[in-house]
Amino acid sequence: MKEFRTLRYEPGKLTLLDQTKLPREETYVDLTTVEAVARAIETMVVRGAPAIGITAAFGIALAQRTGVPLAEADARLRRTRPTAVNLFYALDRMARAAAKNADLDAEAQAIYDEDVAASKKIGEYGAALIPDGASVLTHCNAGALATAELGTALSVIRAAHAAGKKLRVYADETRPMLQGARLTAWELMRDGIDVTLIPDVALGHLLYEQAIDLAIVGADRIATNGDVANKIGTRSVACLLYTHGRPFYVAAPWSTIDRTIATGRQIPIEERAAEEVTTLGGVRIAPDGVRVRNPAFDVTPAAWIAGIITERGCTGKDLARGLTEQASNTDESAR
Amino acid sequence: MKEFRTLRYEPGKLTLLDQTKLPREETYVDLTTVEAVARAIETMVVRGAPAIGITAAFGIALAQRTGVPLAEADARLRRTRPTAVNLFYALDRMARAAAKNADLDAEAQAIYDEDVAASKKIGEYGAALIPDGASVLTHCNAGALATAELGTALSVIRAAHAAGKKLRVYADETRPMLQGARLTAWELMRDGIDVTLIPDVALGHLLYEQAIDLAIVGADRIATNGDVANKIGTRSVACLLYTHGRPFYVAAPWSTIDRTIATGRQIPIEERAAEEVTTLGGVRIAPDGVRVRNPAFDVTPAAWIAGIITERGCTGKDLARGLTEQASNTDESAR
């Protein structure tokens, strides 16, 4: 089977796999301007917190090449999506590189390469938490399609699978944008990993049947106390796992940790267009004129999370303490 | 606005509003044979526990008129859907009427009329539980479309609205068949009741925002201990409401109570076709060949339910005791 690449850069051109068309079409789009990059993030041609950050970094590199003032490019990209902190992490880093007159192509590529290395380490640390024979639920897509390569939650699953553990993965469909049905099921089937698709609403019943042993998801922003913002529905998944006495893990690169905020209450939650809910594939599925709420993320309290896995290790159940230890494990001056 | 009728019988002909086509088309289908009635139940042209029971009763009346042996008609209808007990309640009643050579049209119409009366009483008892100004979540459709008229959960909402209480109703879309988006939103908009549609996954965030005060849903079968089988996803809703300290109520006619089973573990859960999950409006939304689980119902434990409202009253938090009191309130010999 042909390998796919979520994003790929050569000087002057960023190529993205168009995730809005998966799984029906595997189409790539070439972007050469920062405005095109900003629109690709807004319309979810590319999505997933780490992938958004890397894409934005390449957007800054493209801005410099096309003569767009970097402050303007930075401001445009910051307006695309508010919740994932990786976007702001990458833009901060590109601004520091620009201030030092560093090579922006090289800096963006470094962010990409570090993400690959982080995904690999997350897989190694996380795989130890997955028992042989486990049934693992994942929500949304925290896979290769959400990162440079490999993924976060799916890197853990890939590493456990590669270690010879027999796994059954349940992917919930993740309304309204169906990242679980369209992206996670597609990614795992390509890798030959056993995957079963369920509607989001079916998780309670599967827990009642004792068909799920644990859940692992990605993250868009993690507060100092361990509260986690992630794709809408994550809070429901965590509440159900916690109530049924099953561990719920979060896997994310360190660039997802926001040490400037104390709790999840400070994380802005993006609200997206009603049409994502009222239409599907151009088909209207709700009455004309109905009022809609469509928050794109939610916050899961630290108390429901059994551990956060980053490239620096795995926290214990005391997430705040674990994250503080990880923060001091590595030189933070680059932040 | 033109009134709709979920089901309507005249001797020899049952007319159903085709719920698979709502909200885009308001189409009625005329059925004259028991086989056509059985297929309409299986394909969800008509759905909702009380409406299924009433429809099956008229199916027996049609069987007699068309010369189909009643035992054969009964067996065919019992095979349509396993979870809602109202189906078996109605068929048992029709069999008793047939054994007495009673008028089967009249018996089926009596089941219809009693359902209307039950819905009205449920509305009256339930409205007292809804504070003025409340934001009320409902799951799936427990409305006029799920009963003869008025509904169960939606009868409570209609009665509170009619009493002048200001309400905001949140209808979750209820994947995979979207009864919330397609039916509940449509019904409430027609009645001029304030309704907001949300994806199922958004409930956790709305509770986090303190935007939901309580939830009320229907039921497909209620065990003696108060465990409730209802549309898939109900267990998640109840778990979230319970965890967030908000009351979760169930409204159902007495014909939904199954006093022959002790707990929800004895309730059979229907599993439906994968295509309900993998395609939408003919559009494929998941990879070809993906494995799917599609349970149509789940069981909510009595411990998460604040009260069950029937036409006989409203239980307290001790559901088992409340149901036993209601059972002895009325002569049960007809069962």
Side-chain angles (χ1 to χ4, degrees), chain B residues 54-132:
Chain B
I54 299 162
T55 299
F58 286 124
I60 294 293
L62 289 175
Q64 188 182 49
R65 288 185 165 271
T66 53
V68 175
L70 292 190
E72 187 184 302
D74 178 89
R76 175 69 185 92
L77 289 165
R78 277 177 201 272
R79 281 198 307 272
T80 52
R81 300 195 69 191
T83 303
V85 76
N86 316 60
L87 172 69
F88 308 104
Y89 162 79
L91 290 172
D92 287 348
R93 229 176 111 165
M94 294 302 288
R96 283 197 301 273
K100 291 185 215 158
N101 281 317
D103 179 337
L104 295 188
D105 284 348
E107 185 68 9
Q109 188 61 47
I111 294 175
Y112 181 107
D113 293 342
E114 287 167 28
D115 189 69
V116 175
S119 283
K120 197 156 180 301
K121 289 298 275 182
I122 288 167
E124 288 167 14
Y125 284 122
L129 300 169
I130 315 287
D132 190 20

Side-chain angles (χ1 to χ4, degrees), chain A residues 173 175 181 189 194 196-197 199 201 204 208-209 233 235-236 239-240 243-244 265 280 287-288 291-293, chain B residues 173 175 181 189 194 196-197 199 201 204 208-209 233 235-236 239-240 243-244 265 280 287-288 291-293:
Chain A
E173 64 176 9
R175 280 284 289 155
M189 286 172 81
D194 181 334
T196 300
L197 175 64
V201 289
Y208 171 82
E209 282 185 343
R235 185 177 173 92
S236 306
C239 181
L240 280 164
T243 303
H244 289 81
R265 284 277 164 201
L280 207 152
D288 288 331
R291 187 183 298 120
V292 172
R293 281 290 311 274
Chain B
E173 64 177 7
R175 280 286 288 154
M189 287 172 81
D194 181 335
T196 300
L197 175 64
V201 289
Y208 172 82
E209 282 185 342
R235 186 177 172 92
S236 307
C239 181
L240 281 163
T243 304
H244 289 81
R265 285 276 164 200
L280 208 153
D288 287 332
R291 188 182 300 119
V292 172
R293 282 289 313 272

